[in-house]
Amino acid sequence: MLSTQTSHRAPLRRATTMWAAGCALTLAATAVVAAAPTAGAAATAQRGGSGGGLPGAFAAAARESGVPLNVLEALAYQESAWNDHGGAPSTSGGYGIMQLTEISAATLDGLDPDSAKAAAVEADPRLNTARAAARLIGADVADVKRDDTLNIRAGAALLASYAKALNGGRTSADAGAWYAAVGRYSGAADTATAKQFADRVFNGVRAGISVAGLAVAADPAVRTDPASLDALHLTGPAPAARAAAAKAADGTALPECPTDLNCDYVPAALALNNPADLSSYGNYDPADRPNHSQIRYITIHDTEGGFAGSVNWFQNPAAYASAHYVIRSADGHVTQTVPTQDIAWDSGNWSVYQHAISIEHEGWAIHGAAWYTEAQYETTAELVRYLAKKYGIPLDRQHIFGHDEVPGSKDANQTLQHWDPGPYWDWSHFMDLLGAPILPSFPAGSHSTDAARLVDPSFNPLGSVVVVKPNFRGNLQVVSGCTEANDPTPGTTPGQCGEQPSQASNFVWLRTAPDPAAPLLSEPYLHADGSAGTDSADDWGDKAVTGQKFVVADRRITRDGVWTAIWYGGREAWFASPWTNFAALPSTAGVVKPKAGLASIPVYATAAPEASAYPQPIADVDLRTPKLLTKYSIAAGQGYVTSGPAVNGEYWYARNIDGSAPLDRTEVVGTTQFYLIQFNHRMAWVNAADVDFSQS
């Protein structure tokens, strides 16, 4: 979610489609909608063809249509991750495993159903593939939208019709010959987007895919011809590709993206809100990173609004908010809004965003499974790999984390901090795509690397490190939450509160004792009276998330199974950790503990320089010193995982829009050093002088 410098929440316009937003962005790749793999995919694998589940349905459709089986399955994975979402439409009006689209004027927010534009939408075959596909197999559109077998048959027939139109009425048994037809299936209006989609499908064909009981056999010998996309007569190089040659005023090339991603640049506002006050600017700070401020982290967010409306909001300096990148749900299109050398105002904690690059994802956290598409995951992974290599950021969860893991910048802001990307962002899948999977690891010199030890319930001794990793697809949880007033997710009521459907989730519940009936852990900033934690999606006090690392405080084997206690927020927190679910993998990390002789040590919301580090012109107007989290402390004997070496307290002082204030755009560096630690669901800082460091 977008954080502001003032109210800490940016109101976003509802813009469910690029038509509704009335901007230059296109609905080009509406058909490119692939849901993040969820537990629904496993259930779906049991439906489909007669007696054969989805594998049988795919095989029958491939025989009937002449589409090579591996192409059909890989295409379906890119569209939906083999998940039918219970018949509900995707955010771009796609239905079923093949994401056949049906867009009507009624589904477009803000579009007059009697307008010429509405008529054009309903007549556009790219936006209404369900009708054409249903006709090809002689089925009813409604049945094709909700029945897995018919949906796969219809999608295969549609793909085959594209291939025949491109090849004189013929189809081929050569998988590579379907490249252009797959590009057309994307619904893209430009060659770059069609190529990106087709390349991802055929990457799946070459490498193979194995998810939730379904598999595409790897065929690395498949060859494709990108020039065949010329036959689609699309608009040529996308505007994004042309924008790559553009230059910012300071000569920086924009957008900053991998060359094969379809990116564009729409600059966020750097403008005054009060012409008489040079310090009243939004929406980011000009800087010279990494020359004067190291880039250490990449933060993952969601917009809680539509893509176009979010990008447009950043053009308003009164937003006092920005992000470096925004990624569209339907096709993974990337828009950069702030140069990475500059500091975006994104996560509500300047000690984080001063050193971070932020990536916003179109979507609503409470409905993440419907919004976080495979296109978003794959695009984000490619972008993060590029940025991590450019700036030397480690590909791990201690440096790549969510907005929900960032503390507020002071005591009063803890309950205002956001909780995106939420419980349905598949961190395990995302880290796999980064090429940095979450796996068990052991301290150097350890003899405990025998695979048999991984299923030993007595493993993970006290003081060792574990990484949280529940089986996402099998980790079905129910959380409660409220939909946003501008949430257009199909089947939901905007502004409605209540329990969400049971679905795949990225966290484990934390309890006060090794008992499934024990109360959920209480968060002091949320429950001042000490009452138990809740199932609310925004209750950060009782959830540990995939990829987070903690120090083991205790282990128990009870009649309910294996339980692990971790040091979490100053207390022991228990979670069920059966080895069949790999919820607590052995791991390694740097660990800090209070120095001997200290009964407890304080915890900080920010890592700021000490007061004496500020020169007088700056200290007179902006003196930021370390902010205590007064409801927290760390007692003797507890241990917490660090995100890396200790760092000096720093603050980027930026006062006037033109850099004209005395010592404007100065990096203030103190002598006090801090460790960033995984304290609870969120990060926090501790003074290096208060702790001893060891490598576990």
Side-chain angles (χ1 to χ4, degrees), residues 188-219:
D190 63 82
T191 301
T193 302
K195 182 179 184 300
Q196 179 175 289
F197 179 78
D199 285 345
R200 286 176 172 168
V201 170
F202 279 91
N203 286 343
V205 171
R206 294 186 187 96
I209 304 170
S210 181
V211 175
L214 286 171
V216 177
D219 188 356

PDB file of all heavy atoms in Angstrom, residues 188-219:
ATOM      1  N   ALA A 188      -2.434  -9.215 -26.744  1.00  0.00           N
ATOM      2  CA  ALA A 188      -1.623  -8.004 -26.743  1.00  0.00           C
ATOM      3  C   ALA A 188      -1.868  -7.174 -27.991  1.00  0.00           C
ATOM      4  O   ALA A 188      -2.102  -7.700 -29.080  1.00  0.00           O
ATOM      5  CB  ALA A 188      -0.146  -8.374 -26.648  1.00  0.00           C
ATOM      6  N   ALA A 189      -1.765  -5.867 -27.838  1.00  0.00           N
ATOM      7  CA  ALA A 189      -1.892  -4.947 -28.966  1.00  0.00           C
ATOM      8  C   ALA A 189      -0.536  -4.529 -29.514  1.00  0.00           C
ATOM      9  O   ALA A 189      -0.472  -3.860 -30.535  1.00  0.00           O
ATOM     10  CB  ALA A 189      -2.683  -3.710 -28.550  1.00  0.00           C
ATOM     11  N   ASP A 190       0.549  -4.895 -28.836  1.00  0.00           N
ATOM     12  CA  ASP A 190       1.880  -4.533 -29.312  1.00  0.00           C
ATOM     13  C   ASP A 190       2.772  -5.756 -29.302  1.00  0.00           C
ATOM     14  O   ASP A 190       2.568  -6.721 -28.551  1.00  0.00           O
ATOM     15  CB  ASP A 190       2.488  -3.421 -28.455  1.00  0.00           C
ATOM     16  CG  ASP A 190       2.701  -3.845 -27.016  1.00  0.00           C
ATOM     17  OD1 ASP A 190       3.728  -4.491 -26.740  1.00  0.00           O
ATOM     18  OD2 ASP A 190       1.837  -3.560 -26.166  1.00  0.00           O
ATOM     19  N   THR A 191       3.769  -5.712 -30.161  1.00  0.00           N
ATOM     20  CA  THR A 191       4.643  -6.865 -30.351  1.00  0.00           C
ATOM     21  C   THR A 191       5.431  -7.207 -29.098  1.00  0.00           C
ATOM     22  O   THR A 191       5.623  -8.390 -28.774  1.00  0.00           O
ATOM     23  CB  THR A 191       5.616  -6.588 -31.513  1.00  0.00           C
ATOM     24  OG1 THR A 191       4.862  -6.323 -32.700  1.00  0.00           O
ATOM     25  CG2 THR A 191       6.528  -7.778 -31.758  1.00  0.00           C
ATOM     26  N   ALA A 192       5.882  -6.191 -28.375  1.00  0.00           N
ATOM     27  CA  ALA A 192       6.710  -6.448 -27.189  1.00  0.00           C
ATOM     28  C   ALA A 192       5.952  -7.254 -26.143  1.00  0.00           C
ATOM     29  O   ALA A 192       6.495  -8.187 -25.541  1.00  0.00           O
ATOM     30  CB  ALA A 192       7.200  -5.132 -26.600  1.00  0.00           C
ATOM     31  N   THR A 193       4.675  -6.902 -25.912  1.00  0.00           N
ATOM     32  CA  THR A 193       3.891  -7.624 -24.906  1.00  0.00           C
ATOM     33  C   THR A 193       3.584  -9.037 -25.377  1.00  0.00           C
ATOM     34  O   THR A 193       3.642  -9.993 -24.599  1.00  0.00           O
ATOM     35  CB  THR A 193       2.595  -6.863 -24.596  1.00  0.00           C
ATOM     36  OG1 THR A 193       2.919  -5.552 -24.142  1.00  0.00           O
ATOM     37  CG2 THR A 193       1.792  -7.566 -23.513  1.00  0.00           C
ATOM     38  N   ALA A 194       3.243  -9.185 -26.668  1.00  0.00           N
ATOM     39  CA  ALA A 194       2.977 -10.524 -27.201  1.00  0.00           C
ATOM     40  C   ALA A 194       4.219 -11.402 -27.092  1.00  0.00           C
ATOM     41  O   ALA A 194       4.136 -12.589 -26.740  1.00  0.00           O
ATOM     42  CB  ALA A 194       2.528 -10.422 -28.654  1.00  0.00           C
ATOM     43  N   LYS A 195       5.376 -10.845 -27.381  1.00  0.00           N
ATOM     44  CA  LYS A 195       6.624 -11.610 -27.296  1.00  0.00           C
ATOM     45  C   LYS A 195       6.920 -12.010 -25.856  1.00  0.00           C
ATOM     46  O   LYS A 195       7.339 -13.153 -25.596  1.00  0.00           O
ATOM     47  CB  LYS A 195       7.785 -10.794 -27.859  1.00  0.00           C
ATOM     48  CG  LYS A 195       9.124 -11.535 -27.848  1.00  0.00           C
ATOM     49  CD  LYS A 195      10.236 -10.690 -28.449  1.00  0.00           C
ATOM     50  CE  LYS A 195      11.534 -11.490 -28.521  1.00  0.00           C
ATOM     51  NZ  LYS A 195      12.009 -11.958 -27.207  1.00  0.00           N
ATOM     52  N   GLN A 196       6.728 -11.079 -24.919  1.00  0.00           N
ATOM     53  CA  GLN A 196       6.985 -11.399 -23.515  1.00  0.00           C
ATOM     54  C   GLN A 196       6.134 -12.568 -23.061  1.00  0.00           C
ATOM     55  O   GLN A 196       6.614 -13.486 -22.384  1.00  0.00           O
ATOM     56  CB  GLN A 196       6.701 -10.169 -22.652  1.00  0.00           C
ATOM     57  CG  GLN A 196       6.910 -10.384 -21.166  1.00  0.00           C
ATOM     58  CD  GLN A 196       6.722  -9.095 -20.381  1.00  0.00           C
ATOM     59  OE1 GLN A 196       7.534  -8.185 -20.451  1.00  0.00           O
ATOM     60  NE2 GLN A 196       5.627  -9.012 -19.633  1.00  0.00           N
ATOM     61  N   PHE A 197       4.844 -12.559 -23.445  1.00  0.00           N
ATOM     62  CA  PHE A 197       3.952 -13.641 -23.053  1.00  0.00           C
ATOM     63  C   PHE A 197       4.371 -14.956 -23.704  1.00  0.00           C
ATOM     64  O   PHE A 197       4.484 -15.998 -23.033  1.00  0.00           O
ATOM     65  CB  PHE A 197       2.513 -13.302 -23.441  1.00  0.00           C
ATOM     66  CG  PHE A 197       1.520 -14.372 -23.100  1.00  0.00           C
ATOM     67  CD1 PHE A 197       1.060 -14.527 -21.805  1.00  0.00           C
ATOM     68  CD2 PHE A 197       1.048 -15.245 -24.068  1.00  0.00           C
ATOM     69  CE1 PHE A 197       0.151 -15.516 -21.480  1.00  0.00           C
ATOM     70  CE2 PHE A 197       0.141 -16.238 -23.756  1.00  0.00           C
ATOM     71  CZ  PHE A 197      -0.317 -16.372 -22.459  1.00  0.00           C
ATOM     72  N   ALA A 198       4.603 -14.936 -25.016  1.00  0.00           N
ATOM     73  CA  ALA A 198       4.968 -16.162 -25.724  1.00  0.00           C
ATOM     74  C   ALA A 198       6.282 -16.726 -25.203  1.00  0.00           C
ATOM     75  O   ALA A 198       6.436 -17.946 -25.040  1.00  0.00           O
ATOM     76  CB  ALA A 198       5.051 -15.891 -27.221  1.00  0.00           C
ATOM     77  N   ASP A 199       7.233 -15.860 -24.922  1.00  0.00           N
ATOM     78  CA  ASP A 199       8.518 -16.337 -24.393  1.00  0.00           C
ATOM     79  C   ASP A 199       8.329 -17.049 -23.061  1.00  0.00           C
ATOM     80  O   ASP A 199       8.968 -18.080 -22.797  1.00  0.00           O
ATOM     81  CB  ASP A 199       9.482 -15.166 -24.217  1.00  0.00           C
ATOM     82  CG  ASP A 199      10.063 -14.674 -25.533  1.00  0.00           C
ATOM     83  OD1 ASP A 199       9.950 -15.400 -26.539  1.00  0.00           O
ATOM     84  OD2 ASP A 199      10.621 -13.557 -25.556  1.00  0.00           O
ATOM     85  N   ARG A 200       7.459 -16.520 -22.209  1.00  0.00           N
ATOM     86  CA  ARG A 200       7.248 -17.156 -20.914  1.00  0.00           C
ATOM     87  C   ARG A 200       6.572 -18.500 -21.068  1.00  0.00           C
ATOM     88  O   ARG A 200       6.879 -19.455 -20.351  1.00  0.00           O
ATOM     89  CB  ARG A 200       6.445 -16.226 -20.006  1.00  0.00           C
ATOM     90  CG  ARG A 200       7.278 -15.063 -19.489  1.00  0.00           C
ATOM     91  CD  ARG A 200       6.480 -14.093 -18.682  1.00  0.00           C
ATOM     92  NE  ARG A 200       7.359 -13.104 -18.053  1.00  0.00           N
ATOM     93  CZ  ARG A 200       6.938 -12.008 -17.472  1.00  0.00           C
ATOM     94  NH1 ARG A 200       5.637 -11.737 -17.421  1.00  0.00           N
ATOM     95  NH2 ARG A 200       7.782 -11.168 -16.927  1.00  0.00           N
ATOM     96  N   VAL A 201       5.619 -18.601 -21.978  1.00  0.00           N
ATOM     97  CA  VAL A 201       4.977 -19.894 -22.225  1.00  0.00           C
ATOM     98  C   VAL A 201       6.019 -20.904 -22.683  1.00  0.00           C
ATOM     99  O   VAL A 201       6.089 -22.033 -22.170  1.00  0.00           O
ATOM    100  CB  VAL A 201       3.852 -19.758 -23.266  1.00  0.00           C
ATOM    101  CG1 VAL A 201       3.360 -21.135 -23.704  1.00  0.00           C
ATOM    102  CG2 VAL A 201       2.695 -18.940 -22.702  1.00  0.00           C
ATOM    103  N   PHE A 202       6.860 -20.515 -23.631  1.00  0.00           N
ATOM    104  CA  PHE A 202       7.825 -21.479 -24.172  1.00  0.00           C
ATOM    105  C   PHE A 202       9.011 -21.702 -23.232  1.00  0.00           C
ATOM    106  O   PHE A 202       9.667 -22.746 -23.317  1.00  0.00           O
ATOM    107  CB  PHE A 202       8.259 -21.053 -25.576  1.00  0.00           C
ATOM    108  CG  PHE A 202       7.248 -21.452 -26.613  1.00  0.00           C
ATOM    109  CD1 PHE A 202       6.232 -20.588 -26.962  1.00  0.00           C
ATOM    110  CD2 PHE A 202       7.279 -22.715 -27.179  1.00  0.00           C
ATOM    111  CE1 PHE A 202       5.263 -20.962 -27.883  1.00  0.00           C
ATOM    112  CE2 PHE A 202       6.326 -23.107 -28.094  1.00  0.00           C
ATOM    113  CZ  PHE A 202       5.301 -22.229 -28.453  1.00  0.00           C
ATOM    114  N   ASN A 203       9.267 -20.784 -22.329  1.00  0.00           N
ATOM    115  CA  ASN A 203      10.223 -21.087 -21.261  1.00  0.00           C
ATOM    116  C   ASN A 203       9.707 -22.248 -20.421  1.00  0.00           C
ATOM    117  O   ASN A 203      10.472 -23.120 -19.996  1.00  0.00           O
ATOM    118  CB  ASN A 203      10.437 -19.861 -20.364  1.00  0.00           C
ATOM    119  CG  ASN A 203      11.285 -18.796 -21.031  1.00  0.00           C
ATOM    120  OD1 ASN A 203      11.978 -19.057 -22.012  1.00  0.00           O
ATOM    121  ND2 ASN A 203      11.223 -17.577 -20.509  1.00  0.00           N
ATOM    122  N   GLY A 204       8.383 -22.258 -20.185  1.00  0.00           N
ATOM    123  CA  GLY A 204       7.773 -23.368 -19.459  1.00  0.00           C
ATOM    124  C   GLY A 204       7.849 -24.658 -20.234  1.00  0.00           C
ATOM    125  O   GLY A 204       8.046 -25.738 -19.663  1.00  0.00           O
ATOM    126  N   VAL A 205       7.674 -24.583 -21.548  1.00  0.00           N
ATOM    127  CA  VAL A 205       7.772 -25.780 -22.389  1.00  0.00           C
ATOM    128  C   VAL A 205       9.190 -26.343 -22.327  1.00  0.00           C
ATOM    129  O   VAL A 205       9.392 -27.559 -22.191  1.00  0.00           O
ATOM    130  CB  VAL A 205       7.382 -25.444 -23.843  1.00  0.00           C
ATOM    131  CG1 VAL A 205       7.696 -26.626 -24.766  1.00  0.00           C
ATOM    132  CG2 VAL A 205       5.899 -25.093 -23.931  1.00  0.00           C
ATOM    133  N   ARG A 206      10.172 -25.470 -22.426  1.00  0.00           N
ATOM    134  CA  ARG A 206      11.568 -25.941 -22.444  1.00  0.00           C
ATOM    135  C   ARG A 206      12.019 -26.480 -21.083  1.00  0.00           C
ATOM    136  O   ARG A 206      12.681 -27.511 -21.001  1.00  0.00           O
ATOM    137  CB  ARG A 206      12.493 -24.805 -22.880  1.00  0.00           C
ATOM    138  CG  ARG A 206      12.285 -24.351 -24.317  1.00  0.00           C
ATOM    139  CD  ARG A 206      13.348 -23.330 -24.722  1.00  0.00           C
ATOM    140  NE  ARG A 206      13.053 -22.774 -26.033  1.00  0.00           N
ATOM    141  CZ  ARG A 206      12.416 -21.625 -26.238  1.00  0.00           C
ATOM    142  NH1 ARG A 206      12.016 -20.905 -25.199  1.00  0.00           N
ATOM    143  NH2 ARG A 206      12.188 -21.192 -27.463  1.00  0.00           N
ATOM    144  N   ALA A 207      11.686 -25.748 -20.028  1.00  0.00           N
ATOM    145  CA  ALA A 207      12.188 -26.113 -18.699  1.00  0.00           C
ATOM    146  C   ALA A 207      11.304 -27.118 -17.987  1.00  0.00           C
ATOM    147  O   ALA A 207      11.739 -27.792 -17.054  1.00  0.00           O
ATOM    148  CB  ALA A 207      12.330 -24.857 -17.838  1.00  0.00           C
ATOM    149  N   GLY A 208      10.037 -27.217 -18.411  1.00  0.00           N
ATOM    150  CA  GLY A 208       9.088 -28.063 -17.701  1.00  0.00           C
ATOM    151  C   GLY A 208       8.471 -27.327 -16.529  1.00  0.00           C
ATOM    152  O   GLY A 208       9.029 -26.352 -16.026  1.00  0.00           O
ATOM    153  N   ILE A 209       7.296 -27.778 -16.118  1.00  0.00           N
ATOM    154  CA  ILE A 209       6.575 -27.187 -14.987  1.00  0.00           C
ATOM    155  C   ILE A 209       6.008 -28.329 -14.170  1.00  0.00           C
ATOM    156  O   ILE A 209       5.477 -29.294 -14.726  1.00  0.00           O
ATOM    157  CB  ILE A 209       5.421 -26.274 -15.463  1.00  0.00           C
ATOM    158  CG1 ILE A 209       5.933 -25.190 -16.406  1.00  0.00           C
ATOM    159  CG2 ILE A 209       4.702 -25.646 -14.267  1.00  0.00           C
ATOM    160  CD1 ILE A 209       4.822 -24.414 -17.099  1.00  0.00           C
ATOM    161  N   SER A 210       6.096 -28.223 -12.857  1.00  0.00           N
ATOM    162  CA  SER A 210       5.493 -29.220 -11.986  1.00  0.00           C
ATOM    163  C   SER A 210       4.880 -28.502 -10.796  1.00  0.00           C
ATOM    164  O   SER A 210       5.594 -27.992  -9.939  1.00  0.00           O
ATOM    165  CB  SER A 210       6.530 -30.239 -11.513  1.00  0.00           C
ATOM    166  OG  SER A 210       5.927 -31.218 -10.682  1.00  0.00           O
ATOM    167  N   VAL A 211       3.551 -28.442 -10.772  1.00  0.00           N
ATOM    168  CA  VAL A 211       2.835 -27.729  -9.720  1.00  0.00           C
ATOM    169  C   VAL A 211       1.542 -28.466  -9.410  1.00  0.00           C
ATOM    170  O   VAL A 211       0.775 -28.797 -10.312  1.00  0.00           O
ATOM    171  CB  VAL A 211       2.495 -26.276 -10.137  1.00  0.00           C
ATOM    172  CG1 VAL A 211       1.652 -25.591  -9.068  1.00  0.00           C
ATOM    173  CG2 VAL A 211       3.760 -25.478 -10.383  1.00  0.00           C
ATOM    174  N   ALA A 212       1.311 -28.701  -8.118  1.00  0.00           N
ATOM    175  CA  ALA A 212       0.012 -29.159  -7.627  1.00  0.00           C
ATOM    176  C   ALA A 212      -0.548 -30.351  -8.394  1.00  0.00           C
ATOM    177  O   ALA A 212      -1.697 -30.360  -8.806  1.00  0.00           O
ATOM    178  CB  ALA A 212      -0.984 -27.998  -7.670  1.00  0.00           C
ATOM    179  N   GLY A 213       0.266 -31.368  -8.601  1.00  0.00           N
ATOM    180  CA  GLY A 213      -0.224 -32.589  -9.212  1.00  0.00           C
ATOM    181  C   GLY A 213      -0.272 -32.571 -10.723  1.00  0.00           C
ATOM    182  O   GLY A 213      -0.698 -33.545 -11.346  1.00  0.00           O
ATOM    183  N   LEU A 214       0.147 -31.499 -11.349  1.00  0.00           N
ATOM    184  CA  LEU A 214       0.211 -31.402 -12.802  1.00  0.00           C
ATOM    185  C   LEU A 214       1.654 -31.158 -13.216  1.00  0.00           C
ATOM    186  O   LEU A 214       2.445 -30.596 -12.461  1.00  0.00           O
ATOM    187  CB  LEU A 214      -0.664 -30.258 -13.314  1.00  0.00           C
ATOM    188  CG  LEU A 214      -2.172 -30.497 -13.282  1.00  0.00           C
ATOM    189  CD1 LEU A 214      -2.907 -29.198 -13.601  1.00  0.00           C
ATOM    190  CD2 LEU A 214      -2.563 -31.562 -14.288  1.00  0.00           C
ATOM    191  N   ALA A 215       1.977 -31.567 -14.439  1.00  0.00           N
ATOM    192  CA  ALA A 215       3.349 -31.387 -14.891  1.00  0.00           C
ATOM    193  C   ALA A 215       3.387 -31.209 -16.400  1.00  0.00           C
ATOM    194  O   ALA A 215       2.583 -31.788 -17.141  1.00  0.00           O
ATOM    195  CB  ALA A 215       4.210 -32.585 -14.493  1.00  0.00           C
ATOM    196  N   VAL A 216       4.322 -30.373 -16.851  1.00  0.00           N
ATOM    197  CA  VAL A 216       4.676 -30.256 -18.258  1.00  0.00           C
ATOM    198  C   VAL A 216       6.070 -30.842 -18.396  1.00  0.00           C
ATOM    199  O   VAL A 216       7.009 -30.380 -17.740  1.00  0.00           O
ATOM    200  CB  VAL A 216       4.676 -28.784 -18.725  1.00  0.00           C
ATOM    201  CG1 VAL A 216       5.130 -28.686 -20.181  1.00  0.00           C
ATOM    202  CG2 VAL A 216       3.303 -28.162 -18.559  1.00  0.00           C
ATOM    203  N   ALA A 217       6.200 -31.854 -19.214  1.00  0.00           N
ATOM    204  CA  ALA A 217       7.499 -32.481 -19.400  1.00  0.00           C
ATOM    205  C   ALA A 217       8.437 -31.512 -20.104  1.00  0.00           C
ATOM    206  O   ALA A 217       8.057 -30.859 -21.089  1.00  0.00           O
ATOM    207  CB  ALA A 217       7.355 -33.762 -20.210  1.00  0.00           C
ATOM    208  N   ALA A 218       9.660 -31.392 -19.607  1.00  0.00           N
ATOM    209  CA  ALA A 218      10.632 -30.471 -20.189  1.00  0.00           C
ATOM    210  C   ALA A 218      11.018 -30.910 -21.593  1.00  0.00           C
ATOM    211  O   ALA A 218      11.241 -32.095 -21.857  1.00  0.00           O
ATOM    212  CB  ALA A 218      11.873 -30.402 -19.302  1.00  0.00           C
ATOM    213  N   ASP A 219      11.101 -29.952 -22.509  1.00  0.00           N
ATOM    214  CA  ASP A 219      11.526 -30.212 -23.881  1.00  0.00           C
ATOM    215  C   ASP A 219      12.501 -29.110 -24.289  1.00  0.00           C
ATOM    216  O   ASP A 219      12.143 -28.164 -25.000  1.00  0.00           O
ATOM    217  CB  ASP A 219      10.314 -30.233 -24.821  1.00  0.00           C
ATOM    218  CG  ASP A 219      10.689 -30.680 -26.227  1.00  0.00           C
ATOM    219  OD1 ASP A 219      11.887 -30.904 -26.477  1.00  0.00           O
ATOM    220  OD2 ASP A 219       9.788 -30.786 -27.084  1.00  0.00           O
TER     221      ASP A 219
END
